[in-house]
Amino acid sequence: MRQLRIGVAGLGQGAASSFPVMDAMPEYALVAGADLNPAMRAGFAAAYPGTTTYDTVAAMCAARDIDVVYVATPNRFHCEHALEAMRHGKHVIVEKPMAIDLLQADRMVEAAELHGLRLACGHTRSLSIWNRAMRRIALGGDLGAVTAIHIWAYTDWLIRPRTADELDPEQGGGIVFRQGPHQIDTVRLLGGGLVRSVRAQTGRWLEARPVPGYYTAFLEFENGTPATIVHNGYGYFVMSELYPWVAAAERFTDADRARMRHELEAGTRDEDGEKAQWRVGGRRDPTKVRHEGRAGWKPFDLGPVEVSCERGVMRNWENGVVVYSDRGREELDLRALQRPEPDPSGGLSLAILEELYASVVDGRPLYHDGAWGRATLEVVLALIASARERREIYLERQVAMPDTYDAELSVVKVGVP
């Protein structure tokens, strides 16, 4: 088996959460990491002996023993660092959003084509086996065509410890840039990819966080299918409360969230110290978490997904998908369709690493490529523009997801009396 050697640009909390996923794949070897912060480099080196650390992304990209660069730096650097990697002949996986404007996304897509490299836009929860299975069920035709999609989330995203760039819209900060891609990518996957227009509104309701912490949007596909997405990140109600097997494992309690809001408003909160706890080497280092067996579904920051079809409805649940049809209620346990991974609901998942590996090594299509990521970014930007201008925004750069994606995914027939 050929191994792809991977180097990580940016060693913050997002990257730390992804390292266990890389560990789960023998097809990849984690060989390097780059970060300006010496403490992060030291933590990474201690956690992964034998890897090489670099104080700049450019230096790491110039190394000969790296095949793939995972770009997990702050959003404003995604384009710069992806281009640097591709200039040195490296394939790229880029965090969401792939860039902060469409011109940057264009440059990234063009660079991948120019250098003959793979550009994967792969950190969204659309890659969950749950969502992919609902798409295959819809394509199978037993429930008829998809007629509507609804995704909603209530989280504490906005009041978690944040760095300055995470709260600056000019740098790709705020809940729309940072969490919108999860829901938008999922809606686009389930609806076929071609969003026609967006009408949206956002909310800024916490003085200590002068950045959107709420959005709601109505998306219409080219074929007329409607979709709605909602995310409230203020942490008063958290949707995991509705799932008993999840609530006890939440990062923060209701009391924690109340305290965090109070400290934000009083200006007494040590967010830098809190953030450091979740990085490599910190007290709550994600690389130290051990996952036993196959974990069930959790809402994470995507939330419940409900797909209406002509002859039924589907939704995600603890172990897979629930289907409501003329045959009644059916629970499909999908855990056997994937190998165990730390985050079975999506994110930088085994699914995108498998897809990139198959594309690089076996020459198979890369479905979540730059064009797909750019189309999701276009919806993100349209959501922001629609809220600002209070009008419907029409889209021009959408791409369809080919029916061949996940063609080998075997899901039982449903809804047939």
Side-chain angles (χ1 to χ4, degrees), residues 54-73:
Y54 299 86
D55 59 6
T56 68
V57 173
M60 185 184 73
C61 291
R64 294 184 178 181
D65 62 343
I66 296 174
D67 304 302
V68 178
V69 171
Y70 167 41
V71 177
T73 48

Side-chain angles (χ1 to χ4, degrees), residues 317-338:
W317 75 294
E318 182 178 6
N319 295 321
V321 172
V322 180
V323 179
Y324 306 84
S325 70
D326 293 331
R327 195 163 71 178
R329 182 183 187 278
E330 301 171 80
E331 295 181 354
L332 304 182
D333 190 329
L334 304 177
R335 290 173 294 173
L337 297 184
Q338 64 175 15

Side-chain angles (χ1 to χ4, degrees), residues 32-221:
D35 202 291
L36 293 172
N37 189 324
M40 292 188 194
R41 296 197 302 272
F44 174 75
Y48 293 94
T51 57
T52 304
T53 61
Y54 299 86
D55 59 6
T56 68
V57 173
M60 185 184 73
C61 291
R64 294 184 178 181
D65 62 343
I66 296 174
D67 304 302
V68 178
V69 171
Y70 167 41
V71 177
T73 48
N75 292 349
R76 68 185 185 278
F77 295 126
H78 286 183
C79 177
E80 175 187 339
H81 291 155
L83 294 178
E84 185 71 26
M86 288 187 281
R87 276 195 294 268
H88 286 90
K90 319 300 186 192
H91 303 288
V92 171
I93 303 174
V94 63
E95 266 273 2
K96 49 77 185 163
M98 70 177 289
I100 61 174
D101 63 48
L102 289 175
L103 291 178
Q104 288 185 346
D106 287 342
R107 294 176 62 199
M108 296 163 72
V109 171
E110 291 165 3
E113 294 173 352
L114 175 66
H115 298 292
L117 295 165
R118 307 296 192 270
L119 170 62
C121 299
H123 183 170
T124 76
R125 300 201 184 278
S126 73
L127 288 152
S128 152
I129 194 71
W130 285 234
N131 296 322
R132 292 159 53 204
M134 283 193 281
R135 175 178 174 272
R136 293 311 308 181
I137 292 170
L139 289 175
D142 292 337
L143 298 181
V146 172
T147 53
I149 306 165
H150 179 56
I151 307 179
W152 60 278
Y154 281 72
T155 72
D156 53 18
W157 187 88
L158 193 71
I159 62 172
R160 297 172 196 165
R162 296 291 169 204
T163 56
D165 62 284
E166 293 177 288
L167 299 172
D168 182 359
E170 297 301 315
Q171 300 183 53
I175 201 167
V176 182
F177 266 118
R178 291 185 165 268
Q179 290 301 305
H182 286 307
Q183 293 184 336
I184 291 166
D185 230 38
T186 301
V187 162
R188 292 188 57 245
L189 177 74
L190 294 168
L194 300 175
V195 180
R196 174 179 180 266
S197 65
V198 178
R199 179 66 176 96
Q201 190 54 270
T202 60
R204 303 185 185 199
W205 305 327
L206 181 60
E207 186 175 351
R209 292 284 206 234
V211 65
Y214 171 89
Y215 64 77
T216 182
F218 176 85
L219 284 61
E220 182 183 352
F221 283 86

